[in-house]
Coordinates of all heavy atoms in Angstrom, one line a residue:
M534 N 253.3 298.9 158.9 CA 253.3 297.6 158.3 C 251.9 296.9 158.5 O 251.4 297.0 159.6 CB 254.4 296.7 159.0 CG 254.8 295.6 158.1 SD 256.4 294.9 158.7 CE 255.7 293.4 159.6
Q535 N 251.5 296.3 157.5 CA 250.1 295.7 157.6 C 250.3 294.2 157.7 O 250.9 293.5 157.0 CB 249.3 296.0 156.4 CG 247.8 295.8 156.6 CD 247.0 296.2 155.4 OE1 247.6 296.6 154.4 NE2 245.8 296.0 155.4
E536 N 249.6 293.7 158.8 CA 249.6 292.2 159.0 C 248.6 291.6 158.1 O 247.5 292.0 157.9 CB 249.3 291.9 160.4 CG 250.5 291.9 161.3 CD 250.1 291.4 162.7 OE1 250.0 290.2 162.8 OE2 250.0 292.2 163.6
N537 N 249.0 290.5 157.5 CA 248.0 289.8 156.6 C 247.8 288.4 157.2 O 248.3 287.4 156.7 CB 248.5 289.7 155.2 CG 247.4 289.2 154.3 OD1 246.3 289.1 154.7 ND2 247.8 288.9 153.0
N538 N 247.1 288.3 158.3 CA 246.9 287.0 158.9 C 245.4 286.7 158.9 O 244.8 286.1 159.9 CB 247.4 287.0 160.3 CG 246.9 288.1 161.2 OD1 246.1 288.9 160.7 ND2 247.2 288.1 162.4
L539 N 244.7 287.1 157.8 CA 243.2 286.9 157.8 C 243.0 285.4 157.5 O 243.6 284.7 156.7 CB 242.7 287.7 156.6 CG 242.7 289.2 156.8 CD1 242.4 289.9 155.5 CD2 241.8 289.6 157.9
I540 N 242.0 284.9 158.2 CA 241.6 283.5 158.1 C 240.1 283.5 157.9 O 239.3 284.2 158.6 CB 242.0 282.7 159.3 CG1 243.5 282.6 159.4 CG2 241.4 281.3 159.3 CD1 244.1 281.9 160.6
C541 N 239.6 282.7 157.0 CA 238.2 282.5 156.7 C 237.5 281.9 158.0 O 237.9 280.8 158.4 CB 238.0 281.7 155.5 SG 236.2 281.3 155.2
P542 N 236.5 282.5 158.5 CA 235.8 282.0 159.7 C 235.0 280.7 159.4 O 234.6 280.0 160.3 CB 234.9 283.1 160.2 CG 234.7 283.9 159.0 CD 235.9 283.8 158.1
K543 N 234.8 280.5 158.1 CA 234.0 279.3 157.7 C 234.8 278.1 157.5 O 234.5 277.0 158.0 CB 233.2 279.7 156.5 CG 232.0 278.7 156.3 CD 231.1 279.2 155.1 CE 230.0 278.3 154.9 NZ 229.3 278.6 153.6
C544 N 235.9 278.2 156.6 CA 236.6 277.0 156.3 C 238.1 277.1 156.8 O 238.8 276.1 156.6 CB 236.6 276.8 154.7 SG 237.6 278.1 153.9
G545 N 238.5 278.2 157.4 CA 239.8 278.3 157.9 C 240.9 278.5 156.9 O 242.1 278.5 157.3
S546 N 240.5 278.8 155.7 CA 241.5 279.1 154.7 C 242.2 280.5 154.9 O 241.6 281.4 155.4 CB 240.8 279.1 153.3 OG 241.7 279.6 152.3
K547 N 243.4 280.6 154.4 CA 244.1 281.8 154.5 C 244.0 282.5 153.1 O 244.6 283.6 152.9 CB 245.6 281.7 154.9 CG 245.7 281.3 156.4 CD 247.1 281.2 156.8 CE 247.2 280.8 158.3 NZ 248.6 280.6 158.7
N548 N 243.3 281.9 152.2 CA 243.1 282.5 150.9 C 242.1 283.6 150.9 O 241.0 283.5 150.2 CB 242.7 281.4 149.9 CG 243.8 281.2 148.8 OD1 244.6 282.1 148.5 ND2 243.8 280.0 148.3
V549 N 242.3 284.6 151.7 CA 241.3 285.6 151.9 C 241.7 286.9 151.3 O 242.8 287.4 151.4 CB 241.1 285.8 153.4 CG1 240.2 287.0 153.7 CG2 240.5 284.5 154.0
L550 N 240.7 287.6 150.6 CA 241.0 288.8 150.0 C 240.2 289.9 150.7 O 239.0 289.7 151.1 CB 240.6 288.8 148.5 CG 241.3 287.8 147.6 CD1 240.8 287.9 146.2 CD2 242.8 288.1 147.6
E551 N 240.7 291.1 150.7 CA 240.0 292.3 151.2 C 239.2 292.8 150.1 O 239.6 292.9 148.9 CB 241.0 293.3 151.8 CG 240.2 294.4 152.5 CD 241.2 295.2 153.3 OE1 242.4 294.9 153.4 OE2 240.7 296.2 154.0
I552 N 238.0 293.3 150.4 CA 237.1 293.9 149.4 C 237.2 295.4 149.6 O 236.9 295.9 150.6 CB 235.6 293.4 149.6 CG1 235.6 291.9 149.5 CG2 234.8 294.1 148.5 CD1 234.2 291.3 149.8
L553 N 237.6 296.1 148.5 CA 237.8 297.5 148.5 C 236.6 298.2 147.9 O 236.2 297.9 146.8 CB 239.0 297.9 147.8 CG 239.4 299.4 147.8 CD1 240.2 299.7 149.1 CD2 240.2 299.7 146.6
Y554 N 236.0 299.2 148.6 CA 234.9 299.9 148.1 C 235.3 301.3 147.7 O 236.3 301.8 148.0 CB 233.8 300.0 149.2 CG 233.2 298.6 149.4 CD1 233.6 297.8 150.4 CD2 232.2 298.1 148.6 CE1 233.1 296.5 150.7 CE2 231.6 296.8 148.8 CZ 232.1 296.1 149.9 OH 231.6 294.8 150.1
G555 N 234.4 301.9 147.0 CA 234.6 303.3 146.5 C 235.2 303.2 145.1 O 235.4 302.1 144.5
Y556 N 235.4 304.3 144.5 CA 236.0 304.3 143.1 C 237.5 304.0 143.2 O 238.2 304.7 143.9 CB 235.8 305.7 142.5 CG 236.1 305.7 141.0 CD1 235.2 305.2 140.1 CD2 237.4 306.1 140.6 CE1 235.5 305.1 138.8 CE2 237.7 306.0 139.2 CZ 236.8 305.5 138.3 OH 237.1 305.4 137.0
P557 N 237.9 302.9 142.6 CA 239.3 302.5 142.7 C 240.3 303.4 142.0 O 240.0 303.9 140.9 CB 239.3 301.1 142.1 CG 238.1 301.1 141.1 CD 237.1 302.0 141.7
D558 N 241.4 303.6 142.6 CA 242.5 304.4 141.9 C 243.4 303.4 141.1 O 243.1 302.2 141.1 CB 243.3 305.2 142.9 CG 243.9 304.4 144.0 OD1 244.0 303.1 143.8 OD2 244.3 304.9 145.0
Y559 N 244.4 304.0 140.5 CA 245.2 303.2 139.7 C 245.8 302.0 140.4 O 245.9 300.9 139.9 CB 246.3 304.1 139.1 CG 247.4 303.3 138.3 CD1 247.1 302.9 137.0 CD2 248.7 303.1 138.9 CE1 248.1 302.2 136.3 CE2 249.6 302.4 138.2 CZ 249.3 302.0 136.9 OH 250.3 301.3 136.2
K560 N 246.3 302.3 141.6 CA 246.9 301.2 142.4 C 245.9 300.1 142.8 O 246.3 298.9 142.7 CB 247.5 301.8 143.7 CG 248.5 300.9 144.4 CD 249.2 301.6 145.5 CE 250.1 300.7 146.3 NZ 249.6 300.3 147.6
A561 N 244.7 300.5 143.1 CA 243.7 299.5 143.4 C 243.4 298.6 142.2 O 243.2 297.4 142.4 CB 242.4 300.2 143.9
F562 N 243.4 299.2 141.0 CA 243.2 298.4 139.8 C 244.3 297.4 139.7 O 244.1 296.2 139.3 CB 243.1 299.3 138.6 CG 241.7 299.8 138.3 CD1 241.4 301.1 138.2 CD2 240.7 298.8 138.0 CE1 240.1 301.5 137.9 CE2 239.4 299.2 137.7 CZ 239.1 300.6 137.6
E563 N 245.5 297.8 139.9 CA 246.7 297.0 139.8 C 246.6 295.8 140.7 O 246.8 294.7 140.4 CB 247.9 297.8 140.1 CG 248.7 298.1 138.8 CD 250.1 298.6 139.1 OE1 250.5 298.7 140.3 OE2 250.8 299.0 138.2
E564 N 246.3 296.1 142.0 CA 246.2 295.1 143.0 C 245.0 294.1 142.6 O 245.2 292.9 142.8 CB 245.9 295.7 144.4 CG 247.0 296.5 144.9 CD 248.3 295.7 145.2 OE1 248.2 294.6 145.8 OE2 249.3 296.0 144.7
A565 N 244.0 294.6 142.1 CA 242.8 293.7 141.7 C 243.3 292.8 140.6 O 242.9 291.6 140.5 CB 241.6 294.6 141.4
E566 N 244.0 293.4 139.6 CA 244.5 292.6 138.5 C 245.4 291.4 139.0 O 245.3 290.3 138.5 CB 245.4 293.5 137.6 CG 244.6 294.5 136.8 CD 244.3 293.9 135.4 OE1 245.2 293.6 134.6 OE2 243.1 293.8 135.1
K567 N 246.2 291.7 140.0 CA 247.1 290.7 140.6 C 246.3 289.7 141.4 O 246.9 288.7 141.9 CB 248.2 291.4 141.4 CG 249.3 292.0 140.5 CD 250.4 292.5 141.3 CE 250.3 294.0 141.6 NZ 251.4 294.5 142.5
G568 N 245.1 290.0 141.7 CA 244.3 289.1 142.6 C 244.5 289.3 144.1 O 244.3 288.5 144.9
N569 N 245.0 290.5 144.4 CA 245.3 290.8 145.8 C 244.1 291.4 146.6 O 244.1 291.3 147.8 CB 246.5 291.7 145.9 CG 247.8 291.1 145.5 OD1 247.9 289.9 145.6 ND2 248.7 291.9 145.0
I570 N 243.3 292.0 145.8 CA 242.1 292.6 146.5 C 240.9 292.3 145.5 O 241.1 291.9 144.4 CB 242.2 294.1 146.8 CG1 242.5 294.9 145.5 CG2 243.2 294.4 147.8 CD1 242.3 296.4 145.6
I571 N 239.7 292.6 146.0 CA 238.5 292.6 145.2 C 237.9 294.0 145.2 O 237.8 294.6 146.2 CB 237.5 291.6 145.8 CG1 238.0 290.1 145.5 CG2 236.1 291.7 145.1 CD1 237.1 289.1 146.1
L572 N 237.5 294.4 144.0 CA 236.8 295.7 144.0 C 235.3 295.5 144.2 O 234.6 294.8 143.5 CB 237.0 296.4 142.6 CG 238.5 296.6 142.3 CD1 238.7 297.2 140.9 CD2 239.1 297.6 143.3
G573 N 234.8 296.1 145.2 CA 233.4 295.9 145.6 C 232.5 296.9 145.0 O 231.3 296.8 145.2
G574 N 233.0 297.8 144.2 CA 232.1 298.8 143.6 C 232.0 300.0 144.5 O 232.5 300.1 145.6
C575 N 231.2 301.0 144.0 CA 231.2 302.3 144.7 C 230.1 302.3 145.8 O 230.0 303.2 146.6 CB 231.0 303.4 143.8 SG 229.6 303.3 142.7
C576 N 229.2 301.4 145.7 CA 228.0 301.4 146.7 C 228.3 300.5 147.9 O 228.3 299.3 147.7 CB 226.8 301.0 146.0 SG 226.4 302.0 144.5
I577 N 228.5 301.2 149.0 CA 228.8 300.4 150.2 C 227.6 300.6 151.1 O 227.1 301.7 151.3 CB 230.1 300.8 150.9 CG1 230.3 299.9 152.1 CG2 230.1 302.3 151.3 CD1 231.8 300.0 152.7
S578 N 227.1 299.5 151.7 CA 226.0 299.6 152.7 C 226.5 299.0 154.0 O 227.6 298.4 154.1 CB 224.8 298.8 152.1 OG 225.0 297.4 152.2
D579 N 225.6 299.0 155.0 CA 225.9 298.5 156.3 C 226.2 297.0 156.2 O 226.8 296.4 157.0 CB 224.8 298.7 157.3 CG 224.8 300.2 157.7 OD1 225.8 300.9 157.4 OD2 223.8 300.7 158.3
N580 N 225.6 296.3 155.2 CA 225.7 294.9 155.1 C 226.8 294.4 154.1 O 227.0 293.3 153.9 CB 224.4 294.3 154.6 CG 223.3 294.5 155.6 OD1 223.5 294.4 156.8 ND2 222.1 294.8 155.1
S581 N 227.5 295.4 153.6 CA 228.6 295.0 152.7 C 229.7 294.3 153.4 O 230.2 294.8 154.4 CB 229.2 296.3 152.0 OG 228.1 296.9 151.3
P582 N 230.1 293.2 152.9 CA 231.2 292.4 153.5 C 232.6 293.1 153.3 O 232.7 293.8 152.3 CB 231.2 291.0 152.9 CG 230.5 291.3 151.5 CD 229.6 292.4 151.7
D583 N 233.5 292.8 154.2 CA 234.9 293.4 154.0 C 235.9 292.4 153.5 O 236.9 292.8 153.0 CB 235.4 293.9 155.4 CG 234.5 295.0 156.0 OD1 234.4 296.0 155.3 OD2 234.0 294.9 157.1
F584 N 235.5 291.1 153.6 CA 236.5 290.1 153.2 C 235.8 289.0 152.4 O 234.6 288.8 152.5 CB 237.2 289.5 154.4 CG 237.9 290.5 155.2 CD1 237.4 290.8 156.5 CD2 239.1 291.1 154.8 CE1 238.1 291.8 157.3 CE2 239.8 292.0 155.5 CZ 239.3 292.4 156.8
H585 N 236.6 288.4 151.5 CA 236.1 287.3 150.7 C 237.0 286.2 150.7 O 238.3 286.3 150.5 CB 236.0 287.9 149.2 CG 235.6 286.8 148.2 ND1 234.3 286.6 147.8 CD2 236.4 286.0 147.5 CE1 234.4 285.6 146.9 NE2 235.6 285.2 146.7
C586 N 236.5 285.0 150.9 CA 237.3 283.8 150.9 C 237.4 283.2 149.5 O 236.3 282.9 148.9 CB 236.8 282.7 151.9 SG 237.7 281.2 151.8
K587 N 238.6 283.0 149.0 CA 238.7 282.4 147.6 C 238.4 280.9 147.5 O 238.1 280.4 146.5 CB 240.1 282.6 147.1 CG 240.3 284.0 146.5 CD 241.8 284.3 146.4 CE 242.3 283.9 145.0 NZ 243.7 284.3 144.8
D588 N 238.4 280.3 148.7 CA 238.2 278.8 148.7 C 236.8 278.4 148.8 O 236.3 277.5 148.0 CB 239.0 278.2 149.8 CG 240.5 278.2 149.5 OD1 240.8 278.4 148.3 OD2 241.3 278.0 150.4
C589 N 236.0 279.1 149.6 CA 234.6 278.7 149.8 C 233.6 279.8 149.4 O 232.4 279.7 149.5 CB 234.3 278.2 151.2 SG 234.4 279.6 152.5
N590 N 234.2 281.0 149.0 CA 233.4 282.1 148.5 C 232.6 282.7 149.6 O 231.7 283.5 149.4 CB 232.5 281.7 147.4 CG 233.2 281.5 146.1 OD1 234.2 282.1 145.8 ND2 232.8 280.5 145.3
Y591 N 232.9 282.4 150.9 CA 232.2 283.1 152.0 C 232.7 284.5 152.1 O 233.9 284.8 151.9 CB 232.6 282.3 153.3 CG 231.9 282.8 154.5 CD1 230.5 282.8 154.6 CD2 232.7 283.3 155.6 CE1 229.9 283.2 155.8 CE2 232.1 283.8 156.7 CZ 230.7 283.7 156.8 OH 230.1 284.2 158.0
E592 N 231.8 285.4 152.4 CA 232.1 286.8 152.6 C 231.6 287.3 154.0 O 230.5 286.9 154.4 CB 231.5 287.7 151.5 CG 232.1 287.3 150.1 CD 231.6 288.2 149.0 OE1 230.4 288.7 149.1 OE2 232.3 288.4 148.1
W593 N 232.4 288.1 154.6 CA 232.0 288.5 156.0 C 232.6 289.9 156.3 O 233.4 290.4 155.6 CB 232.5 287.5 157.0 CG 234.0 287.5 157.2 CD1 234.7 288.1 158.2 CD2 235.0 286.8 156.4 NE1 236.1 287.8 158.1 CE2 236.2 287.0 157.0 CE3 234.9 286.0 155.3 CZ2 237.4 286.5 156.4 CZ3 236.1 285.5 154.7 CH2 237.3 285.7 155.3
K594 N 232.0 290.4 157.4 CA 232.4 291.8 157.8 C 233.5 291.8 158.8 O 233.7 290.8 159.6 CB 231.2 292.5 158.4 CG 230.2 292.9 157.3 CD 228.9 293.5 158.0 CE 229.3 294.9 158.6 NZ 229.6 295.9 157.5
K595 N 234.3 292.8 158.8 CA 235.3 293.0 159.7 C 234.8 293.1 161.2 O 233.7 293.8 161.4 CB 236.1 294.3 159.4 CG 237.5 294.4 159.9 CD 238.0 295.8 159.5 CE 238.2 295.9 158.0 NZ 239.0 297.1 157.5
E596 N 235.5 292.6 162.1 CA 235.0 292.7 163.5 C 235.4 294.1 164.0 O 236.5 294.6 163.7 CB 235.7 291.6 164.4 CG 235.0 290.3 164.2 CD 235.7 289.3 165.1 OE1 236.0 289.6 166.3 OE2 236.0 288.2 164.7
K597 N 234.5 294.7 164.7 CA 234.7 296.0 165.2 C 235.3 296.0 166.6 O 234.9 295.2 167.4 CB 233.4 296.8 165.2 CG 232.9 297.0 163.7 CD 233.0 298.4 163.2 CE 232.9 298.4 161.7 NZ 231.5 298.2 161.3
Ligands
ZN739 ZN1 236.5 279.9 153.3

């Protein structure tokens, strides 16, 4: 079970989407259509953010 308790570190919004990298499969496309995730494209770098806030457009990386 996956917990979805992501909060934007900038504005505190819970309107946060995960950014998925790599070539999306059918399910990823569906989720993106529904607005549940964002497709980040196939090129991931060390600076690529993992999350996107829908309210303030802030993007940040997952804490390790
Ligand atoms: Zn925010």
Side-chain angles (χ1 to χ4, degrees):
M534 202 165 101
Q535 198 178 359
E536 272 187 77
N537 191 10
N538 56 357
L539 294 167
I540 292 174
C541 173
K543 197 175 179 188
C544 72
S546 168
K547 289 182 179 174
N548 245 336
V549 171
L550 299 180
E551 188 165 359
I552 303 172
L553 184 86
Y554 292 94
Y556 191 81
D558 57 15
Y559 173 75
K560 193 168 177 259
F562 269 121
E563 256 193 2
E564 293 297 309
E566 287 266 300
K567 284 188 261 179
N569 292 333
I570 59 168
I571 288 177
L572 299 178
C575 57
C576 301
I577 184 166
S578 75
D579 285 346
N580 296 321
S581 300
D583 296 304
F584 301 109
H585 171 94
C586 174
K587 276 166 93 177
D588 285 345
C589 69
N590 290 324
Y591 182 65
E592 293 184 332
W593 70 98
K594 287 177 69 67
K595 204 181 291 190
E596 282 182 44
K597 298 251 163 75

